[in-house]
Amino acid sequence: MSRRAKWSWTSAFVGAASALAATTLLNARPKDPTFHLISIKLTSFNLKLPVVEAELILTVHVTNPNIVPIEYSSTNMSIFYEGSLLGSAEVKAGSQNPRSCEVLHLPARLDGRELAHHASRFFADVAKREMVLESKVDIMGKARMWWWDHGFKVHVDSHLTVDPVFLDVIDQENISQLELLLN
C-alpha cells in the first residue's frame, strides 16, 4: 500500500527559486555599519593664553557589512566632555566597497577654553588617567543596488574612555543606527 510520489521538475525549480529568493532577501537586508576608534594622535598643541587648542588625528576602523557599495557625504563629528561641546572631527566624503573594512584618519580640533570650564574635573581625570568623552555623528549617503540609489542616514553615538596623558583608548562603546530614506 505504498504510494510513490511523482517527481516534478516544476516543483523542484519552484522550491530552488524560493530558497534562493529567501537567501537573497536575508542577505540584502540592510545592516548597521560598525565603528571602532583605534588610536588618537596629537598633532599640535597651541598655548597662547587665554586660547588653548589641540589638533588630533583620530584613526577609526569602519566596517560595511552590507552587500552593496556605499557613498557618503562629508560631515562633522561632535566631541563632548562633561556634556559640553569640546571640539569636532571632520569626516570627508568618500565611498566604501561592499562587505569591506577601511581605516579613516579624521582630523579633529579641541577647544581648550571649553576644557577650562571643567578644569577641576579634567585635572582629576588626568590624575586617575581616565577621561570619558562622548561623540555623535550623522552620516548621510546612498547605496546603489542594481540601478537604484537608496538614501540612508547612519547615526553613531560613541562613549569613549581614554588616557588623557598618553591618549590611549582604554574602552569604548559605539552604537550605530541605520535609517533608510525614501527618495
Side-chain angles (χ1 to χ4, degrees):
M1 227 171 145
S2 73
R3 208 172 140 188
R4 189 171 173 180
K6 186 176 179 184
W7 175 258
S8 168
W9 281 104
T10 303
S11 296
F13 178 74
V14 169
S18 298
L20 180 63
T23 302
T24 301
L25 283 176
L26 287 175
N27 283 331
R29 178 182 54 85
K31 298 167 191 75
D32 291 345
T34 59
F35 301 86
H36 185 79
L37 180 63
I38 298 171
S39 68
I40 303 170
K41 180 181 175 188
L42 182 67
T43 57
S44 79
F45 185 79
N46 298 324
L47 179 60
K48 295 178 186 170
L49 293 176
V51 177
V52 178
E53 287 185 347
E55 292 182 5
L56 310 165
I57 298 292
L58 307 177
T59 303
V60 179
H61 182 265
V62 182
T63 302
N64 174 15
N66 296 293
I67 62 170
V68 295
I70 59 169
E71 293 179 11
Y72 52 90
S73 58
S74 62
T75 188
N76 282 312
M77 176 176 63
S78 300
I79 302 169
F80 299 91
Y81 178 66
E82 292 294 308
S84 299
L85 182 63
L86 181 60
S88 63
E90 180 186 1
V91 180
K92 293 181 180 172
S95 63
Q96 190 165 348
N97 292 326
R99 293 189 175 159
S100 67
C101 301
E102 285 192 15
V103 174
L104 303 178
H105 301 283
L106 310 178
R109 175 170 283 183
L110 303 182
D111 182 0
R113 287 175 293 188
E114 192 56 50
L115 198 56
H117 290 103
H118 303 284
S120 61
R121 175 67 182 185
F122 175 69
F123 289 121
D125 287 348
V126 170
K128 70 178 180 180
R129 303 223 5 224
E130 280 190 11
M131 181 178 184
V132 176
L133 299 171
E134 306 285 334
S135 72
K136 296 182 183 311
V137 65
D138 287 316
I139 302 169
M140 305 286 288
K142 62 182 178 181
R144 179 172 286 269
M145 183 170 242
W146 295 300
W147 52 88
W148 291 300
D149 285 339
H150 300 280
F152 68 86
K153 177 173 109 175
V154 176
H155 178 80
V156 183
D157 287 314
S158 298
H159 179 84
L160 307 163
T161 304
V162 300
D163 177 345
V165 176
F166 293 112
L167 299 177
D168 293 330
V169 180
I170 298 169
D171 189 28
Q172 65 183 294
E173 179 183 4
N174 301 299
I175 300 169
S176 61
Q177 295 176 324
L178 175 67
E179 177 185 343
L180 296 178
L181 305 174
L182 300 174
N183 296 340

